Amino acid sequence: MRILLHRADGKTEPWIKDFAKYLPEAEIEIWHAGEKCQACDYAVVWSPPEAMLDELATVKAIFVTGAGVDALLKFGDALPAHIPIIRLEDAGMALQMAEYVTHSVLRYFRRFDEYEAQARAGQWAPLPQHHKEDFAIGVLGMGVLGTRVLQALAPFGFPLRGWSRTEKTMPGVQTFAGPDGLDTFLRGTRVLVCMLPLTPDTSNIMDRTNMNKLPEGAYIINVARGAHIAEPDLLTLIKSGHIAAATLDVFRNEPLPAQHPFWQEPRITITPHISALTLRRESVQQIAANIRKTEAGEQVAGVVNRTLGY
């Protein structure tokens, strides 16, 4: 068995060592631009270059070292439809995401962002507390990661809301579904958390029209993809005060360009796409288990529906 591995950061040695431990029967082939690779059974990638398509088109399955697959689906029909794309379902990312979102929600609820600004200005001015019943948290996307975030927030007593493409139920969460449910979901959400996959239907889902449906003084947390937000619209709504503040971990262009206006807006908190880092060992263990299941003809979790985009 041969596995074709590509890492954009070039750090392949730790992955090779982990595969040697958890899938010792596999031989690892490192993809290099301009070099001809031997035929491989599987590929393990994150955001492969277009030059890798010929090799990807001949494997049994492509394993993605993350939860999002838009970096692969952008190639469209260049990747034969019969080759399954299999994403990570969790591999340690859900807990990290829950930590990040919970911290961001509590920071806004307790007004720590405003106290930080006061401290920098040398001001001592206690602020009125937000009322928890008026601080509904709405999660866009109720997949594995979104569900874990809602579970993490449950003990704090906030009103919890969730929106998904199709109807879902979750104890303690008011749920909404489909285009018809999105309007009602947004109008009752004080803190909007985006955890959607990026598809043609969800691109720019947070544009001026939808963000205007949020209550005055709402907050936005985006840990999904930068293309979910119409960036100029967000900036306009923050400057008008309709959106009180935003915490953004993802952007249309990464790294975020130095001249981007987000850097100059103090009510936007920026982090460098670190809300849920890929945990290599857990990822390799999950991929190894799924390769063994594939070899045995068994079903595996995380197979991407290309029509839906996740």
Side-chain angles (χ1 to χ4, degrees), residues 71-92:
L72 267 175
L73 295 185
K74 69 182 181 183
F75 295 125
D77 295 338
L79 283 177
H82 70 274
I83 300 176
I85 299 172
I86 303 167
R87 61 183 175 85
L88 293 178
E89 288 233 285
D90 183 348

Side-chain angles (χ1 to χ4, degrees), residues 5-279:
L5 175 66
H6 174 262
R7 297 291 303 168
D9 59 9
K11 298 177 181 178
T12 56
E13 195 59 35
W15 288 80
I16 294 171
K17 289 181 179 178
D18 281 344
F19 271 112
K21 180 176 182 180
Y22 297 110
L23 197 67
E25 63 268 36
E27 184 178 345
I28 308 299
E29 172 94 8
I30 307 301
W31 186 88
H32 296 288
E35 294 183 12
K36 183 67 176 176
C37 295
Q38 295 186 45
C40 290
D41 301 288
Y42 301 99
V44 175
V45 299
W46 164 237
S47 181
E50 189 172 357
M52 195 178 177
L53 282 175
D54 286 345
E55 284 84 359
L56 293 179
T58 61
V59 298
K60 297 178 185 176
I62 301 169
F63 290 88
V64 182
T65 58
V69 292
D70 44 289
L72 267 175
L73 295 185
K74 69 182 181 183
F75 295 125
D77 295 338
L79 283 177
H82 70 274
I83 300 176
I85 299 172
I86 303 167
R87 61 183 175 85
L88 293 178
E89 288 233 285
D90 183 348
M93 290 184 289
L95 178 58
Q96 295 178 73
M97 200 76 83
E99 293 168 346
Y100 184 102
V101 173
T102 300
H103 170 271
S104 301
V105 167
L106 294 177
R107 179 169 174 258
Y108 289 137
F109 176 67
R110 294 299 305 271
R111 307 187 74 163
F112 291 142
D113 61 321
E114 295 170 85
Y115 287 124
E116 290 164 7
Q118 287 185 3
R120 287 192 295 269
Q123 298 175 351
W124 179 287
L127 300 169
Q129 276 195 253
H130 290 303
H131 297 292
K132 196 162 283 188
E133 61 270 21
D134 299 328
F135 217 77
I137 316 299
V139 174
L140 272 171
M142 294 182 65
V144 172
L145 302 181
T147 298
R148 181 66 181 86
V149 164
L150 286 164
Q151 290 171 341
L153 289 168
F156 294 98
F158 296 107
L160 298 179
R161 302 156 68 84
W163 181 88
S164 52
R165 184 183 61 85
T166 57
E167 290 188 12
K168 294 187 177 181
T169 58
M170 183 175 174
V173 179
Q174 186 179 10
T175 57
F176 304 82
D180 293 340
L182 183 60
D183 185 87
T184 306
F185 167 82
L186 291 171
R187 292 189 187 281
T189 293
R190 183 68 180 278
V191 183
L192 181 65
V193 182
C194 183
M195 306 196 67
L196 291 167
L198 182 61
T199 70
D201 289 335
T202 65
S203 179
N204 280 324
I205 192 169
M206 287 186 281
D207 59 9
R208 186 177 307 200
T209 299
N210 279 334
M211 287 189 287
N212 260 324
K213 295 173 185 175
L214 296 168
E216 185 85 15
Y219 300 87
I220 288 176
I221 300 167
N222 189 15
V223 291
R225 287 290 185 269
H228 286 124
I229 290 183
E231 293 181 347
D233 293 352
L234 174 60
L235 200 60
T236 297
L237 291 173
I238 283 182
K239 290 185 180 300
S240 75
H242 185 79
I243 301 298
T247 294
L248 308 178
D249 186 53
V250 287
F251 306 89
R252 289 176 181 269
N253 297 303
E254 296 181 5
L256 188 65
Q259 68 276 17
H260 198 288
F262 280 178
W263 289 113
Q264 309 306 318
E265 175 48 65
R267 287 164 294 183
I268 294 180
T269 299
I270 294 168
T271 54
H273 205 144
I274 49 77
S275 57
L277 299 173
T278 298
L279 301 180

Side-chain angles (χ1 to χ4, degrees), residues 276-298:
L277 299 173
T278 298
L279 301 180
R280 188 190 65 252
R281 185 172 301 172
E282 289 84 345
S283 299
V284 170
Q285 287 176 316
Q286 187 177 130
I287 292 169
N290 280 336
I291 287 177
R292 288 200 175 102
K293 286 181 179 179
T294 301
E295 288 288 294
E298 301 174 12

